[in-house]
Amino acid sequence: MVITKTGAMGFVVKRHSAVGDNLADLKTLLQDISQRADVCLCTGGLGPTIDDLTAQAVAEAFALPLELDTVALEQITHYFSCRQRTMVDSNRKQAFFPQGALRIDNEWGTAPGFSVRHNRCWFVFVPGVPSEMKHMYDATIASQLAQRFSVQAEQLITLRSVGIGESDLQEKLNTITLPDCAKLGFRAALDEVHTKLIFPSDAEHDLVRATVNHVAENIGDYIFAIDGLDGYQGGLVDVISQLMQQQQLTLSVQETASHGLMAAKCITQPWLISSVYNQGLQRLTDNQAIADFQEIALGIAQNIQEQEGTDCVLVQLYEGSANQFQQKELSITLFTLLLTPTGFVHSQRSIAGSKTRKQNQAAIYSLDLLRRFLQKNLSNTVRSII
């Protein structure tokens, strides 16, 4: 998250280092960074326990003795008081910063951050808890970076896709000739794969748009969103949510392979009327060929639609035993059917890997079937209006 946001500001991330809870190793790394980097964002090691060594390492590495920040101590005390908890003495440790450090307030936890400059580098230290670190970055650090440094951001366009891997994406783009100014890269995330196009800050808008469109056409409908060209579209559920609300549709879901994860990914979405994890549905497919799954799933979907009155019903089944689901080396075959106001669509995917990966991929592939229908439906609606 922070790497992405600093990159969007124009900073180039040259190195990402990890070091254990060892004072000598921390001091050596800090001294090395101070000689080669302009900015260093450090997470972790600001807690109250004996293995939280960041502030001490900074103090010793840069010869800046630790001093009590009374405002930080008041903030930590207030944090515990508001929660009607007793602050133990070890939490006082979190209010000591290296001499001359600037405090970074933490309204989301007990550990304030701090910043110092040493040699050529400006260091920022924040807690390792992701939610706290992200909030502190957005609330304070981003604006401080903008004030301290003058950098020109490149134009980053991210094409976000589901259901296709990096190698297949590369294969689809091998025949494309990109402009000399454009750089192509890929990033595999848990739920999706990113195709990244980077252009100089002064690249012509028409050239950027034409290049992105050309790449998107070659990748096809695996793409669910494009960030950076016309704003930020967000993740798969964000895109689905916008489309569901645009088209004023509601949804009911019957989950099996995803074990409730679809509902978890769609938490608080108003268009999701119900989502039920029903492992018992798998008994309906025992000794059934996957060719029969369509009839079974359609019957279930029609029954749910009649009972709940939702516009769309997503039913998930899979072929494979409990042992196949558990074993990393074995695969299952996911079958998803979506009943819509105008008919139904379905998809079939083989999923391998750990049980957690199977669960996550089942949720993503089923949601992506919904996304594909919604985008196609919207496109058809626009064409009929025109």
Side-chain angles (χ1 to χ4, degrees):
M1 168 267 188
V2 169
I3 290 176
T4 301
K5 290 190 174 183
T6 53
M9 294 176 68
F11 291 94
V12 177
V13 179
K14 286 291 189 179
R15 195 174 301 182
H16 187 181
S17 302
V19 62
D21 298 321
N22 181 283
L23 188 61
D25 291 343
L26 283 164
K27 290 161 60 176
T28 299
L29 180 60
L30 289 168
Q31 290 164 347
D32 172 56
I33 292 171
S34 75
Q35 300 286 348
R36 60 174 168 80
D38 298 307
V39 182
C40 179
L41 305 181
C42 304
T43 63
L46 300 183
T49 57
I50 194 171
D51 57 341
D52 289 307
L53 301 171
T54 297
Q56 182 183 351
V58 175
E60 295 185 16
F62 302 156
L64 301 172
L66 291 174
E67 297 180 341
L68 176 65
D69 185 311
T70 56
V71 175
L73 183 58
E74 290 175 4
Q75 291 174 346
I76 297 169
T77 304
H78 181 70
Y79 179 91
F80 283 96
S81 175
C82 288
R83 289 157 179 78
Q84 298 183 341
R85 293 168 54 194
T86 301
M87 188 185 86
V88 297
D89 192 58
S90 61
N91 284 108
R92 286 177 55 87
K93 170 186 176 182
Q94 296 174 287
F96 282 82
F97 303 142
Q99 188 179 68
L102 298 178
R103 184 186 66 257
I104 301 174
D105 295 336
N106 180 1
E107 299 178 11
W108 303 271
T110 63
F114 63 90
S115 65
V116 296
R117 173 171 285 280
H118 187 71
N119 292 329
R120 64 174 286 187
C121 186
W122 183 57
F123 288 86
V124 177
F125 299 91
V126 292
V129 180
S131 59
E132 297 178 31
M133 176 268 291
K134 292 176 182 179
H135 282 302
M136 292 168 74
Y137 179 87
D138 290 335
T140 304
I141 298 166
S143 61
Q144 292 183 354
L145 284 169
Q147 292 169 7
R148 288 175 174 269
F149 298 93
S150 177
V151 289
Q152 192 70 44
E154 295 178 307
Q155 299 183 57
L156 170 64
I157 313 297
T158 304
L159 295 86
R160 306 174 70 165
S161 57
V162 166
I164 185 170
E166 290 178 283
S167 58
D168 290 326
L169 283 168
Q170 179 69 76
E171 192 69 22
K172 286 181 173 291
L173 302 180
N174 279 340
T175 58
I176 291 181
T177 301
L178 295 175
D180 292 338
C181 66
K183 293 184 290 186
L184 175 66
F186 302 92
R187 175 180 176 269
L190 177 63
D191 292 350
E192 59 193 77
V193 178
H194 297 168
T195 302
K196 300 184 295 181
L197 288 167
I198 302 173
F199 300 87
S201 58
D202 59 353
E204 293 182 3
H205 178 75
D206 290 345
L207 175 65
V208 172
R209 184 171 291 276
T211 303
V212 173
N213 288 340
H214 189 35
V215 170
E217 288 170 3
N218 277 264
I219 295 175
D221 61 2
Y222 293 103
I223 296 173
F224 66 84
I226 300 177
D227 290 339
L229 190 61
D230 295 307
Y232 176 79
Q233 293 183 289
L236 181 61
V237 173
D238 297 318
V239 171
I240 290 172
S241 183
Q242 183 178 13
L243 291 166
M244 288 291 286
Q245 293 182 68
Q246 281 179 347
Q247 299 175 45
Q248 299 182 327
L249 297 174
T250 56
L251 176 72
S252 294
V253 175
Q254 284 279 313
E255 299 189 55
T256 54
S258 56
H259 292 72
L261 190 55
M262 269 196 286
K265 289 180 182 290
C266 297
I267 191 168
T268 74
Q269 298 297 340
W271 42 265
L272 181 61
I273 303 304
S274 69
S275 183
V276 178
Y277 164 57
N278 189 349
Q279 190 65 21
L281 288 182
Q282 285 304 113
R283 299 192 188 99
L284 298 176
T285 62
D286 288 346
N287 304 315
Q288 297 281 345
I290 198 161
D292 299 325
F293 280 26
Q294 176 178 309
E295 182 179 351
I296 296 170
L298 183 57
I300 295 169
Q302 289 171 334
N303 185 52
I304 293 171
Q305 191 177 60
E306 182 178 340
Q307 290 181 350
E308 300 186 359
T310 44
D311 302 303
C312 301
V313 181
L314 195 64
V315 176
Q316 190 185 74
L317 302 172
Y318 69 90
E319 183 182 56
S321 65
N323 181 60
Q324 283 175 264
F325 205 106
Q326 293 278 345
Q327 296 300 314
K328 181 179 180 180
E329 298 78 14
L330 303 177
S331 63
I332 64 169
T333 301
L334 177 73
F335 181 90
T336 306
L337 182 139
L338 176 66
L339 180 63
T340 77
T342 57
F344 68 90
V345 291
H346 61 84
S347 65
Q348 184 175 314
R349 295 290 301 245
S350 178
I351 304 176
S354 68
K355 59 184 180 182
T356 303
R357 184 181 187 277
K358 289 186 178 85
Q359 178 195 26
N360 190 67
Q361 293 299 102
I364 292 299
Y365 288 146
S366 296
L367 287 170
D368 192 52
L369 177 65
L370 173 62
R371 184 272 304 179
R372 288 169 181 259
F373 161 74
L374 292 168
Q375 288 183 333
K376 184 177 181 181
N377 190 49
L378 181 63
S379 177
N380 290 339
T381 301
V382 171
R383 281 200 296 268
S384 65
I385 294 173
I386 295 174

